[in-house]
Amino acid sequence: MDAKLNADAAELAKFSELAHRWWDPAGEFRPLHQINPLRLGWIEEVAGPLRERDVLDVGCGGGILAEAMARRGARVLGIDLADKPLKVAQLHALEQQVAGVRYQAISAEQLAAQQPATFDVVTCMEMLEHVPDPASVVAACATLVKPGGWVFFSTLNRNPKAFLLAIVGAEYVLRLLPRGTHEYRRFIRPSELAQWARQAGLDVTQLMGLTYNPLTQRFALARDTSVNYLLAARREAA
Ligand code: SAH
Protein backbone atom coordinates (compact mmCIF):
# COMPACT_ATOMS: atom_id res chain seq x y z
CA MET A 1 0.00 0.00 0.00
CA ASP A 2 1.13 3.55 -0.73
CA ALA A 3 2.99 4.78 2.38
CA LYS A 4 1.27 8.16 2.18
CA LEU A 5 -2.19 6.67 1.89
CA ASN A 6 -4.41 7.58 4.83
CA ALA A 7 -5.63 4.02 5.37
CA ASP A 8 -5.11 1.10 7.71
CA ALA A 9 -4.42 -2.11 5.75
CA ALA A 10 -5.73 -4.32 8.57
CA GLU A 11 -9.04 -2.42 8.58
CA LEU A 12 -9.43 -2.73 4.83
CA ALA A 13 -8.63 -6.47 5.02
CA LYS A 14 -11.33 -6.91 7.66
CA PHE A 15 -13.97 -5.44 5.35
CA SER A 16 -12.71 -7.38 2.33
CA GLU A 17 -12.92 -10.68 4.22
CA LEU A 18 -16.58 -10.07 5.01
CA ALA A 19 -17.49 -8.56 1.65
CA HIS A 20 -19.51 -11.56 0.43
CA ARG A 21 -21.83 -11.06 3.41
CA TRP A 22 -22.54 -7.39 2.67
CA TRP A 23 -26.07 -7.71 1.33
CA ASP A 24 -27.29 -10.37 3.74
CA PRO A 25 -29.83 -8.39 5.79
CA ALA A 26 -29.38 -10.84 8.69
CA GLY A 27 -25.56 -11.00 8.48
CA GLU A 28 -22.62 -9.05 9.87
CA PHE A 29 -23.78 -5.84 8.21
CA ARG A 30 -27.32 -6.04 9.53
CA PRO A 31 -26.93 -2.79 11.52
CA LEU A 32 -26.04 -0.91 8.32
CA HIS A 33 -29.16 -2.30 6.63
CA GLN A 34 -31.26 -1.31 9.63
CA ILE A 35 -29.98 2.26 9.87
CA ASN A 36 -30.04 2.87 6.12
CA PRO A 37 -33.63 4.15 5.75
CA LEU A 38 -33.13 6.41 8.76
CA ARG A 39 -29.97 8.06 7.49
CA LEU A 40 -31.29 8.31 3.94
CA GLY A 41 -34.43 10.03 5.21
CA TRP A 42 -32.39 12.41 7.32
CA ILE A 43 -30.05 13.31 4.44
CA GLU A 44 -33.03 14.23 2.25
CA GLU A 45 -34.68 16.11 5.09
CA VAL A 46 -31.58 18.28 5.54
CA ALA A 47 -30.28 18.57 1.96
CA GLY A 48 -33.54 18.24 0.05
CA PRO A 49 -34.45 15.57 -2.54
CA LEU A 50 -31.44 13.78 -4.04
CA ARG A 51 -33.01 13.41 -7.48
CA GLU A 52 -30.70 14.62 -10.27
CA ARG A 53 -27.96 15.59 -7.82
CA ASP A 54 -24.30 14.53 -7.95
CA VAL A 55 -23.49 12.58 -4.82
CA LEU A 56 -20.23 11.11 -3.56
CA ASP A 57 -20.24 8.32 -0.96
CA VAL A 58 -16.83 8.02 0.73
CA GLY A 59 -16.06 4.60 2.24
CA CYS A 60 -19.10 3.16 0.48
CA GLY A 61 -18.28 -0.50 1.20
CA GLY A 62 -20.75 -2.85 -0.46
CA GLY A 63 -22.94 0.08 -1.47
CA ILE A 64 -25.89 -0.03 0.94
CA LEU A 65 -26.22 3.76 1.10
CA ALA A 66 -24.78 4.54 -2.36
CA GLU A 67 -27.30 2.27 -4.09
CA ALA A 68 -30.20 3.61 -2.03
CA MET A 69 -29.29 7.16 -3.01
CA ALA A 70 -29.12 6.15 -6.68
CA ARG A 71 -32.59 4.63 -6.32
CA ARG A 72 -33.73 8.09 -5.21
CA GLY A 73 -32.53 9.42 -8.55
CA ALA A 74 -29.11 10.76 -7.59
CA ARG A 75 -26.01 10.29 -9.77
CA VAL A 76 -23.78 8.52 -7.28
CA LEU A 77 -20.07 7.77 -7.17
CA GLY A 78 -19.06 5.37 -4.39
CA ILE A 79 -15.40 5.20 -3.40
CA ASP A 80 -13.55 2.85 -1.05
CA LEU A 81 -10.06 1.41 -0.72
CA ALA A 82 -11.13 -2.18 -0.06
CA ASP A 83 -11.42 -4.02 -3.38
CA LYS A 84 -13.83 -6.79 -2.51
CA PRO A 85 -16.60 -4.63 -1.06
CA LEU A 86 -16.37 -2.45 -4.19
CA LYS A 87 -16.78 -5.52 -6.42
CA VAL A 88 -19.74 -6.67 -4.38
CA ALA A 89 -21.26 -3.20 -4.69
CA GLN A 90 -20.79 -3.16 -8.45
CA LEU A 91 -22.27 -6.61 -8.90
CA HIS A 92 -25.25 -5.84 -6.70
CA ALA A 93 -26.11 -2.67 -8.63
CA LEU A 94 -25.87 -4.67 -11.84
CA GLU A 95 -28.11 -7.45 -10.56
CA GLN A 96 -30.64 -4.97 -9.23
CA GLN A 97 -30.44 -2.92 -12.41
CA VAL A 98 -29.78 0.26 -10.51
CA ALA A 99 -28.47 2.79 -12.97
CA GLY A 100 -26.82 5.96 -11.75
CA VAL A 101 -24.26 4.45 -9.42
CA ARG A 102 -20.56 3.98 -10.19
CA TYR A 103 -17.79 2.69 -7.98
CA GLN A 104 -14.10 3.50 -7.91
CA ALA A 105 -11.12 2.41 -5.81
CA ILE A 106 -9.59 5.73 -4.81
CA SER A 107 -9.02 7.63 -1.57
CA ALA A 108 -11.02 10.75 -0.72
CA GLU A 109 -7.76 12.72 -0.65
CA GLN A 110 -6.75 11.55 -4.15
CA LEU A 111 -10.18 12.28 -5.60
CA ALA A 112 -10.16 15.72 -3.95
CA ALA A 113 -6.89 16.53 -5.74
CA GLN A 114 -8.45 15.49 -9.08
CA GLN A 115 -12.01 16.79 -8.78
CA PRO A 116 -12.45 19.62 -6.27
CA ALA A 117 -15.91 21.23 -5.89
CA THR A 118 -17.65 18.53 -7.94
CA PHE A 119 -20.45 17.09 -5.80
CA ASP A 120 -23.72 18.53 -4.50
CA VAL A 121 -23.73 16.12 -1.58
CA VAL A 122 -20.91 14.11 0.01
CA THR A 123 -21.65 11.33 2.48
CA CYS A 124 -19.09 9.56 4.66
CA MET A 125 -20.80 7.10 6.98
CA GLU A 126 -19.37 4.73 9.60
CA MET A 127 -15.93 5.16 8.02
CA LEU A 128 -13.97 7.84 9.92
CA GLU A 129 -13.49 5.54 12.94
CA HIS A 130 -11.53 3.12 10.72
CA VAL A 131 -9.03 5.65 9.37
CA PRO A 132 -5.63 6.76 10.82
CA ASP A 133 -6.17 10.47 10.11
CA PRO A 134 -9.92 11.21 10.02
CA ALA A 135 -9.40 15.00 9.89
CA SER A 136 -7.72 14.54 6.52
CA VAL A 137 -10.80 12.71 5.18
CA VAL A 138 -13.05 15.47 6.53
CA ALA A 139 -10.90 18.08 4.73
CA ALA A 140 -11.04 16.05 1.50
CA CYS A 141 -14.85 15.85 1.73
CA ALA A 142 -14.97 19.64 2.18
CA THR A 143 -12.84 20.07 -0.95
CA LEU A 144 -14.97 17.65 -2.98
CA VAL A 145 -18.32 19.30 -2.27
CA LYS A 146 -19.47 22.31 -4.31
CA PRO A 147 -19.84 25.67 -2.57
CA GLY A 148 -23.27 25.64 -0.94
CA GLY A 149 -23.33 21.81 -0.98
CA TRP A 150 -23.83 19.41 1.91
CA VAL A 151 -21.52 16.98 3.69
CA PHE A 152 -22.81 14.23 5.99
CA PHE A 153 -20.74 12.20 8.43
CA SER A 154 -21.64 9.49 10.88
CA THR A 155 -19.43 7.79 13.42
CA LEU A 156 -19.20 6.64 17.04
CA ASN A 157 -18.79 8.95 20.02
CA ARG A 158 -15.94 8.42 22.49
CA ASN A 159 -17.01 8.12 26.13
CA PRO A 160 -17.55 5.27 28.65
CA LYS A 161 -21.16 4.73 27.54
CA ALA A 162 -20.14 4.43 23.89
CA PHE A 163 -17.47 1.89 24.89
CA LEU A 164 -20.03 -0.10 26.84
CA LEU A 165 -22.74 -0.05 24.18
CA ALA A 166 -20.84 0.03 20.88
CA ILE A 167 -18.12 -2.47 21.82
CA VAL A 168 -19.13 -4.56 24.86
CA GLY A 169 -22.86 -4.53 24.04
CA ALA A 170 -22.80 -4.71 20.23
CA GLU A 171 -19.79 -7.02 19.75
CA TYR A 172 -19.84 -9.25 22.86
CA VAL A 173 -23.31 -9.32 24.39
CA LEU A 174 -25.78 -8.83 21.54
CA ARG A 175 -23.34 -9.94 18.79
CA LEU A 176 -24.73 -7.35 16.39
CA LEU A 177 -21.21 -6.92 14.99
CA PRO A 178 -18.19 -9.25 14.75
CA ARG A 179 -15.68 -8.89 17.59
CA GLY A 180 -12.91 -6.48 16.72
CA THR A 181 -15.08 -4.40 14.38
CA HIS A 182 -14.37 -1.23 16.33
CA GLU A 183 -11.46 0.15 18.29
CA TYR A 184 -12.39 2.51 21.13
CA ARG A 185 -9.41 4.84 20.70
CA ARG A 186 -10.58 5.64 17.16
CA PHE A 187 -14.01 6.85 18.25
CA ILE A 188 -14.64 10.55 17.66
CA ARG A 189 -16.40 13.10 19.84
CA PRO A 190 -18.93 15.31 18.04
CA SER A 191 -16.91 18.36 19.19
CA GLU A 192 -13.79 16.96 17.50
CA LEU A 193 -15.61 16.19 14.26
CA ALA A 194 -17.26 19.61 14.29
CA GLN A 195 -13.88 21.28 14.79
CA TRP A 196 -12.30 19.40 11.86
CA ALA A 197 -15.29 20.34 9.71
CA ARG A 198 -15.01 24.02 10.62
CA GLN A 199 -11.26 24.00 10.01
CA ALA A 200 -12.04 22.67 6.53
CA GLY A 201 -14.40 25.57 5.78
CA LEU A 202 -17.69 23.83 6.54
CA ASP A 203 -20.55 25.20 8.65
CA VAL A 204 -21.84 22.55 11.00
CA THR A 205 -25.62 22.83 10.91
CA GLN A 206 -27.06 19.70 12.53
CA LEU A 207 -26.16 16.93 14.90
CA MET A 208 -28.44 13.89 15.22
CA GLY A 209 -28.20 10.86 17.46
CA LEU A 210 -28.87 7.30 16.42
CA THR A 211 -29.98 5.00 19.23
CA TYR A 212 -30.54 1.25 19.45
CA ASN A 213 -33.21 -0.39 21.55
CA PRO A 214 -32.10 -3.96 22.36
CA LEU A 215 -35.62 -5.00 23.34
CA THR A 216 -37.31 -4.01 20.10
CA GLN A 217 -34.02 -4.48 18.17
CA ARG A 218 -34.66 -1.23 16.38
CA PHE A 219 -32.63 1.87 15.66
CA ALA A 220 -34.12 5.35 15.80
CA LEU A 221 -33.02 8.94 15.17
CA ALA A 222 -32.90 10.68 18.53
CA ARG A 223 -31.52 13.67 20.42
CA ASP A 224 -29.13 11.36 22.26
CA THR A 225 -25.75 11.58 20.48
CA SER A 226 -23.81 9.73 23.18
CA VAL A 227 -23.09 6.58 21.14
CA ASN A 228 -23.84 6.76 17.40
CA TYR A 229 -24.43 10.09 15.70
CA LEU A 230 -24.69 11.90 12.38
CA LEU A 231 -23.40 15.37 11.60
CA ALA A 232 -24.51 17.61 8.72
CA ALA A 233 -22.36 20.46 7.45
CA ARG A 234 -22.56 22.88 4.58
CA ARG A 235 -19.76 24.36 2.52
CA GLU A 236 -19.99 28.11 2.45
CA ALA A 237 -21.45 29.40 -0.79
CA ALA A 238 -18.86 31.01 -3.05
N1 SAH B 1 -20.23 3.70 4.46
C1 SAH B 1 -20.77 2.36 4.33
C2 SAH B 1 -19.81 1.28 4.81
C3 SAH B 1 -19.30 1.41 6.22
S1 SAH B 1 -18.13 0.16 6.65
C4 SAH B 1 -22.08 2.30 5.08
O1 SAH B 1 -22.24 3.04 6.06
O2 SAH B 1 -22.97 1.52 4.70
C5 SAH B 1 -16.61 1.09 6.57
C6 SAH B 1 -16.05 1.19 5.16
O3 SAH B 1 -14.96 2.10 5.18
C7 SAH B 1 -15.48 -0.13 4.61
O4 SAH B 1 -16.03 -0.40 3.36
C8 SAH B 1 -13.99 0.12 4.52
O5 SAH B 1 -13.36 -0.58 3.45
C9 SAH B 1 -13.96 1.62 4.30
N2 SAH B 1 -12.69 2.23 4.62
C10 SAH B 1 -11.90 2.04 5.69
N3 SAH B 1 -10.80 2.80 5.60
C11 SAH B 1 -10.90 3.50 4.44
C12 SAH B 1 -10.09 4.48 3.79
N4 SAH B 1 -8.96 4.89 4.34
N5 SAH B 1 -10.51 4.98 2.61
C13 SAH B 1 -11.67 4.57 2.07
N6 SAH B 1 -12.48 3.67 2.63
C14 SAH B 1 -12.10 3.14 3.81
Side-chain angles (χ1 to χ4, degrees):
M1 191 177 298
D2 184 339
K4 296 190 305 295
L5 208 55
N6 177 21
D8 180 332
E11 290 279 354
L12 299 176
K14 216 159 60 182
F15 288 104
S16 271
E17 267 162 38
L18 285 173
H20 61 290
R21 308 276 296 150
W22 215 285
W23 285 91
D24 179 349
E28 287 84 349
F29 297 99
R30 176 180 162 91
L32 295 180
H33 288 279
Q34 287 187 297
I35 65 176
N36 206 47
L38 298 172
R39 59 193 185 179
L40 182 61
W42 192 64
I43 289 167
E44 286 204 306
E45 202 179 295
V46 173
L50 292 175
R51 178 158 296 281
E52 301 293 322
R53 287 161 93 184
D54 289 304
V55 178
L56 174 69
D57 188 25
V58 175
C60 62
I64 294 173
L65 180 63
E67 196 177 296
M69 294 192 292
R71 284 181 188 275
R72 291 290 169 99
R75 288 178 293 267
V76 182
L77 173 63
I79 64 171
D80 204 289
L81 288 175
D83 288 335
K84 283 196 185 146
L86 278 179
K87 290 204 176 106
V88 166
Q90 224 148 19
L91 201 63
H92 195 269
L94 210 66
E95 279 170 3
Q96 300 289 314
Q97 301 183 310
V98 179
V101 62
R102 296 179 295 128
Y103 293 101
Q104 195 183 341
I106 188 168
S107 73
E109 288 91 341
Q110 287 165 332
L111 192 68
Q114 291 173 11
Q115 297 187 38
T118 301
F119 299 93
D120 300 301
V121 175
V122 176
T123 57
C124 179
M125 303 287 185
E126 316 300 327
M127 180 267 197
L128 293 173
E129 72 275 18
H130 300 286
V131 168
D133 181 1
S136 160
V137 176
V138 171
C141 292
T143 302
L144 285 156
V145 73
K146 292 177 190 169
W150 291 94
V151 186
F152 294 88
F153 299 104
S154 73
T155 190
L156 287 160
N157 202 339
R158 193 177 69 258
N159 56 56
K161 183 178 166 189
F163 175 76
L164 210 67
L165 268 64
I167 295 186
V168 180
E171 296 184 15
Y172 291 83
V173 182
L174 301 174
R175 312 249 169 105
L176 293 178
L177 293 170
R179 288 182 193 180
T181 299
H182 287 118
E183 235 179 296
Y184 178 68
R185 66 180 176 90
R186 287 211 160 138
F187 290 6
I188 298 164
R189 296 197 179 114
S191 58
E192 295 165 337
L193 182 52
Q195 195 190 347
W196 299 334
R198 282 193 297 269
Q199 280 167 356
L202 299 172
D203 284 331
V204 176
T205 61
Q206 271 112 329
L207 194 63
M208 180 60 85
L210 196 58
T211 57
Y212 182 72
N213 181 333
L215 298 176
T216 60
Q217 301 183 15
R218 283 178 191 279
F219 286 90
L221 294 175
R223 262 211 292 272
D224 175 6
T225 56
S226 59
V227 183
N228 221 310
Y229 64 94
L230 302 126
L231 182 147
R234 192 162 203 189
R235 179 160 163 189
E236 286 142 27

